[in-house]
Structures are given as C-alpha cells and as structure tokens.
Amino acid sequence: SNQKIDLAEFELAGDSWKSQFDIPGALVDVMYRQGIVWSGMYFSPMIPIMAIIASMVTFFVKKRYLFLYCGRPKKALGVTKQLKFFYGMMLLALITSFIPLNYLLGRTPSCGPHEEENVLNETETTLDEDMPSWLKVFFTYLFNGLLLLPILILTLVYLGYVRGTRKSHETNAKQLKERLLKEKAEKKQ
C-alpha cells in the first residue's frame, strides 16, 4: 500500500521530472545517417535495406523513450524556422554523396566485373536505347540522365516543405484570429 501512495504522488508530480526531447539533435542524427546511406549505397547495395530496418527500430525506440521519459516542451521550439537549414544540410549531404559516384562512374577500371568499361557511358547507352526519341532529345538538352532522380526527389521534398509551411501559416493565422475574437469579446464585457 505504501508503494501505491508513492506512485500516486509520483503521478501527481506531472511532467516536471521528465527531460525534454532534443528535436534538433534527432533531426541532425537522421540527416547524418541518410548522408552515410547515400554515400555508401554505391559500394554496398544492401545498405538502404539495412538503413530502413535500422530507422524503423530507432523510430520505435525513440518513440517509447519520448512517451515514457520526456515531457512537453515548456516553450515552442520554432522547428519550422530551422527547416530551411535542415533541408540545406540534406542537399549538402546529397551533393557530397554524388562526388564519389561521379568519380567511380567516370573512370575505367583495370580489373573487376567492369574491366576496361566506362560504367557511365555504358549506363547512358542502355538508357538511350530504351528511351523514346522525343524523350532522348528532351533529356539531352535539359538534364544529365543520372542526375534526374535526385533532382526529382529534391523537388518533391521542396514541394512538401512549401506545403507544410503553408499549413503552419494557416494554422497560426487561425489561432491568432481566434485569440483576437476572444480578446474582443472580453473587452465588450
């Protein structure tokens, strides 16, 4: 019965004993891991699959940690202001991961499965053979075929960022409007 009283007092204490979750630190950790995956997938094709599994495990462990040991933040963090920085760091990680890829694809190895073959030229030749002629002309003038996917991914990420920013602005405007109406009603009384 003594333990029940202690637990009840413990529950009455609320979140005051709990620490705060480090959101920026967690985001930097995710970005670092993603940069490592992007850089290493050229050397080991299994890295993305292992990263998916590791990310899922990490997510559920951090979620459990957050719910059990972290309290609500005392003030808003302003993560939306930091999103440009985080997206910029992801772009930097993506660009950095393409440096070893461009080096590896641009050289002609003297041994191994691609001996005396330039992988970049062979890949582009295969893509050109399978592509419709109008699309060949489009990509020839506009893009390097191997950079199309990352550009598409970055465009989708940016559109998601713009959409999220718009939603947060709409939510903030709605909350401010409600506050103003509430203050106006209080002044009339």
Side-chain angles (χ1 to χ4, degrees):
S1 100
N2 198 11
Q3 277 185 329
K4 288 181 183 177
I5 293 171
D6 290 340
L7 287 174
E9 290 173 8
F10 188 66
E11 289 297 323
L12 289 175
D15 288 349
S16 62
W17 63 275
K18 294 182 175 181
S19 67
Q20 294 213 1
F21 187 71
D22 183 21
I23 295 173
L27 287 173
V28 168
D29 183 41
V30 168
M31 287 186 303
Y32 173 75
R33 184 177 307 156
Q34 189 63 46
I36 294 294
V37 168
W38 282 338
S39 297
M41 70 182 178
Y42 314 120
F43 305 104
S44 174
M46 285 297 290
I47 284 181
I49 295 168
M50 293 186 317
I52 289 170
I53 295 167
S55 293
M56 288 173 56
V57 169
T58 302
F59 171 79
F60 287 110
V61 167
K62 285 190 178 186
K63 178 183 170 187
R64 185 164 174 82
Y65 171 78
L66 177 71
F67 287 155
L68 292 177
Y69 301 111
C70 295
R72 292 185 178 146
K74 291 180 177 53
K75 62 178 184 174
L77 248 177
V79 173
T80 54
K81 294 178 184 176
Q82 299 174 356
L83 279 178
K84 284 185 182 179
F85 169 74
F86 291 128
Y87 282 130
M89 293 304 293
M90 288 296 285
L91 178 63
L92 180 66
L94 184 64
I95 290 169
T96 305
S97 70
F98 275 113
I99 292 171
L101 175 66
N102 284 332
Y103 168 73
L104 289 172
L105 291 180
R107 67 188 185 94
T108 304
S110 58
C111 63
H114 302 289
E115 184 176 354
E116 301 302 325
E117 283 183 10
N118 186 307
V119 177
L120 182 61
N121 291 339
E122 293 294 324
T123 304
E124 286 181 346
T125 303
T126 305
L127 287 174
D128 286 343
E129 290 171 356
D130 296 339
M131 202 179 296
S133 61
W134 64 271
L135 202 54
K136 286 182 198 178
V137 172
F138 176 75
F139 286 132
T140 301
Y141 289 110
L142 198 56
F143 296 112
N144 177 349
L146 293 175
L147 296 180
L148 181 63
L149 182 62
I151 290 170
L152 178 65
I153 290 171
L154 289 175
T155 303
L156 292 174
V157 167
Y158 180 73
L159 289 174
Y161 165 74
V162 169
R163 184 176 169 207
T165 304
R166 189 188 75 215
K167 281 186 178 182
S168 70
H169 287 305
E170 288 173 358
T171 304
N172 289 341
K174 192 175 187 180
Q175 289 174 350
L176 287 173
K177 188 175 181 180
E178 290 173 3
R179 279 189 197 169
L180 287 173
L181 291 173
K182 188 177 181 182
E183 286 179 10
K184 186 178 177 181
E186 289 175 359
K187 285 183 182 179
K188 285 184 178 180
Q189 292 178 357

